């Protein structure tokens, strides 16, 4: 359990999750800051993946708050994308933000816009 006063807690958590899930990163688990995303091609495969992830957490004496968890979603918004069984799409809200960006007036704003537009 991480204390609220713990410096670099997000980085510590992410490093810990990467270490405990090292045997299956980018196969069916993605960790980013305080999110653990489990993805699968079929429901049967997903049940197995969830069981493996939850078992790994339990073995490490790490527990999730059930009210913060969502299971069996057909799609999920994650880091500006929408992940579905059909693939990964850019979140339309991000595209809309780029299209409706207000007029740029200085170099800092141009850099910010180019960073966002380039990423998406």
């Amino acid at each position: 359990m991480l204390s609220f006063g713990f410096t670099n807690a997000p980085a510590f958590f992410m490093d810990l999750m990467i270490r405990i899930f090292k045997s299956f990163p980018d196969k069916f688990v993605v960790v980013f800051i305080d999110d653990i995303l489990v993805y699968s091609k079929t429901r049967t495969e997903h049940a197995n993946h969830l069981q493996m992830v939850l078992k790994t957490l339990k073995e490490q004496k790490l527990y999730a708050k059930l009210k913060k968890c969502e299971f069996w979603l057909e799609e999920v918004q994650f880091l500006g994308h929408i992940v579905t069984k059909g693939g990964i799409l850019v979140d339309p809200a991000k595209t809309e933000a780029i299209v409706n960006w207000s007029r740029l007036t200085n170099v800092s704003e141009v850099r910010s816009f180019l960073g966002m537009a380039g990423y998406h």
Side-chain angles (χ1 to χ4, degrees):
M1 178 161 210
L2 298 176
S3 151
F4 282 106
F6 190 67
T7 305
N8 299 322
F12 175 82
F13 176 80
M14 203 164 151
D15 180 63
L16 175 64
M17 292 298 105
I18 289 168
R19 281 188 281 123
I20 70 166
F21 292 126
K22 71 179 178 251
S23 62
F24 33 81
D26 297 330
K27 292 180 183 170
F28 59 87
V29 175
V30 174
V31 177
F32 186 74
I33 312 234
D34 63 346
D35 291 322
I36 302 170
L37 181 67
V38 180
Y39 56 94
S40 314
K41 292 182 180 180
T42 67
R43 291 182 74 76
T44 303
E45 192 177 67
H46 195 62
N48 291 333
H49 291 162
L50 284 173
Q51 185 177 29
M52 290 169 69
V53 167
L54 294 172
K55 181 181 176 197
T56 301
L57 289 170
K58 185 176 181 180
E59 288 170 352
Q60 298 296 318
K61 296 182 175 47
L62 297 168
Y63 304 94
K65 289 185 180 180
L66 188 58
K67 67 181 181 179
K68 290 183 150 190
C69 297
E70 296 180 282
F71 296 97
W72 301 103
L73 300 176
E74 293 291 323
E75 70 177 42
V76 63
Q77 288 182 293
F78 188 69
L79 300 177
H81 296 84
I82 298 178
V83 181
T84 71
K85 61 183 174 183
I88 300 173
L89 310 164
V90 174
D91 186 343
K94 299 298 180 188
T95 305
E96 185 178 332
I98 292 169
V99 170
N100 295 327
W101 203 284
S102 60
R103 182 178 171 97
L104 306 174
T105 59
N106 61 47
V107 173
S108 179
E109 290 176 358
V110 170
R111 286 184 183 137
S112 179
F113 175 78
L114 289 176
M116 171 117 167
Y119 177 78
H120 291 288

